[in-house]
Amino acid sequence: MEQCSEEDKKRFVEETVEKYARFINPGLVRLFKFANFNTVEWKGKGAKVWDIFGNQYIDCIGGFGVFNVGRNHPRVVEAVKRQLDYLPLSTRTLFNRQQADLAEMLAQITPGELQYSFFCNSGAEAVEGAIKLARFYTGRKKLVSALGGFHGKTMGALSVSGREVYKKPFEPLLPETYQVPFGDAEAMAQAVDEQTAAVILEPIQGEGGIILPPPDYLSEVRKICDARGALLILDEVQTGLGRTGAMFACEHYGVVPDILALAKGLGGGVLPLGAFMSTPQIWTVFEDNPFIHSSTLGGNPLSCAAGIETLKVLQEEEIPQQAARKGEYLLSALQGLAIQFAPLIKEVRGKGLLVGVEFFDSDVASLLAMEMAQRRVLVAYTLNNPKVIRLEPPLVITKEELDLVLEVFEASLKSVQGILEEIGG
Ligand code: PLP
């Protein structure tokens, strides 16, 4: 296809868009076209993607934070190719070495007594499993989570997520789910009681708009859970595996959860892989009937091979440390731009390479994303807070690429400012 004429490529794009409109979702076509995401992706490497015409983009969306080790990391790709020739999927009745190795490695790198893993295919599935485990172990039903939180779009995960627009059409959701403002330990203390199975939180809210909690919030929540016998589930689907400058964001706050949910970067940006983990004590409830929770494809050897190599790369290439350094650089440069464009930007915040720029107006945020796409840097707003543009590039992004992102950000802000002046905004 790369060798084809421009005409053939244009036809290829038209056909793809047409198929989206007829067989996937016409609304998505309108949205993508409106946002200038109007081409077909073709290949990726590190922090870059190329479309079918050979146009190069710096990808600061990264599948919403999937590419921690970069796109197509050669070691992960090689590990997957090796496994592919032997046993991509499991019998589900014989022991599988890849799953055993990955579970052991996760036990070694996670904090506290987290030791056992159940593997699945996505973040939402990891959250579903975490909720079921908490209910099973405690024998309680009630779940407390945070407003603005995001845990996925399956029924259970949606029930503990915090934006009405995504929930309302699907009600009734899980009963006995309660939401409190994120960062408010007092509100949490009032909501959690002796009927509470678990509190589920992201250590730093991603889709809620990259919201960092007050420094002692998570340790307060930990104490509240312990005092009432409720479990603490931390959803590190987006913050985990180096994204925030530590292997797990909970390490910044010195808090260990009872149950940890992971996905996104776990498959190395090559394959889908999720997991929820817990302690030997809590996992005892799964012993009597090991099939009480199961998944046909979750934790398949191919994905686990990707996971094993990803964890090695994360450690050997010191990816979390890279994210910490690069994140500081990006954050301080963006804070400079926030001063320069003070009438547009309300705040810049983040940790590691999970960075959010909050605008006063969500239309300005959308306009900026469109302007940046035109200049071939991909960013997007956060799902539960459209006023915030998130930048979460692959953690291997280079200094030169970050500088280019900053240049494009500034040029796009100037354009947006010009457009607003023209329309008298
Ligand atoms: N939890 C968090 C914190 C997330 O950010 C997401 C997705 O963005 C999910 C869960 C859901 O993951 P998935 O889309 O893989 O189901």
Side-chain angles (χ1 to χ4, degrees), residues 122-124 150-152 202 207 235 237-238 264:
S122 69
F150 187 87
H151 301 287
E202 298 155 85
E207 301 305 325
D235 176 347
V237 165
Q238 189 154 189
K264 290 204 190 264

Coordinates of all heavy atoms in Angstrom, one line a residue, residues 122-124 150-152 202 207 235 237-238 264, ligand 1:
S122 N -8.7 -6.2 29.3 CA -8.9 -4.8 29.3 C -9.0 -4.2 30.7 O -9.1 -5.0 31.7 CB -10.3 -4.5 28.6 OG -11.3 -4.9 29.4
G123 N -9.0 -2.9 30.7 CA -9.1 -2.2 32.0 C -10.5 -2.4 32.7 O -10.5 -2.7 33.9
A124 N -11.5 -2.3 31.9 CA -12.9 -2.5 32.5 C -13.0 -3.9 33.1 O -13.6 -4.1 34.2 CB -13.9 -2.3 31.4
F150 N -13.0 7.5 36.4 CA -13.3 6.7 35.3 C -12.7 5.3 35.4 O -11.5 5.1 35.7 CB -12.7 7.3 34.0 CG -13.1 6.6 32.7 CD1 -14.3 6.9 32.1 CD2 -12.4 5.6 32.2 CE1 -14.7 6.3 30.9 CE2 -12.7 4.9 31.0 CZ -13.9 5.3 30.4
H151 N -13.6 4.3 35.3 CA -13.1 2.9 35.5 C -13.5 2.0 34.4 O -13.3 0.7 34.5 CB -13.6 2.4 36.8 CG -13.2 3.2 38.0 ND1 -12.0 3.2 38.5 CD2 -13.9 4.1 38.8 CE1 -11.9 4.1 39.5 NE2 -13.1 4.6 39.7
G152 N -14.1 2.5 33.3 CA -14.4 1.6 32.2 C -15.9 1.7 31.9 O -16.7 2.3 32.7
E202 N -8.9 6.0 41.4 CA -7.7 6.2 40.7 C -6.8 7.0 41.6 O -7.3 8.0 42.1 CB -7.9 6.9 39.4 CG -8.8 6.3 38.4 CD -9.4 7.3 37.4 OE1 -8.8 7.7 36.4 OE2 -10.5 7.8 37.7
E207 N -9.3 10.4 33.3 CA -10.3 10.9 32.4 C -11.1 12.0 33.1 O -11.9 12.8 32.5 CB -11.3 9.8 32.0 CG -10.6 8.7 31.2 CD -9.9 9.2 30.0 OE1 -10.3 10.1 29.4 OE2 -8.8 8.6 29.7
D235 N -7.3 1.7 41.0 CA -7.3 1.5 39.6 C -6.2 2.2 39.0 O -6.2 3.5 38.8 CB -8.7 2.0 39.1 CG -8.8 1.9 37.6 OD1 -7.8 1.7 36.9 OD2 -9.9 2.1 37.1
V237 N -5.0 1.5 36.0 CA -5.1 1.1 34.6 C -4.4 2.2 33.7 O -3.6 1.9 32.8 CB -6.6 0.9 34.1 CG1 -6.7 0.9 32.6 CG2 -7.1 -0.4 34.7
Q238 N -4.6 3.4 34.1 CA -3.9 4.5 33.3 C -2.7 5.0 34.0 O -1.7 5.5 33.3 CB -4.9 5.7 33.1 CG -4.4 6.7 32.2 CD -5.5 7.5 31.5 OE1 -5.3 8.3 30.6 NE2 -6.8 7.4 31.8
K264 N -4.0 -1.3 30.0 CA -3.3 -0.4 29.1 C -1.9 -0.8 28.7 O -1.7 -1.6 27.9 CB -3.4 1.0 29.6 CG -4.8 1.6 29.6 CD -4.9 3.1 29.6 CE -6.2 3.7 29.8 NZ -6.9 4.0 28.6
Ligands
PLP1 N1 -9.7 2.5 34.4 C1 -9.1 3.6 34.1 C2 -8.4 4.5 35.1 C3 -9.0 4.0 32.8 O1 -8.4 5.2 32.4 C4 -9.7 3.2 31.8 C5 -9.7 3.6 30.4 O2 -9.3 4.7 30.0 C6 -10.3 2.0 32.2 C7 -10.3 1.7 33.5 C8 -11.0 1.2 31.2 O3 -10.0 0.5 30.4 P1 -10.5 -0.2 29.1 O4 -10.8 0.9 28.1 O5 -9.3 -1.0 28.6 O6 -11.7 -1.0 29.4

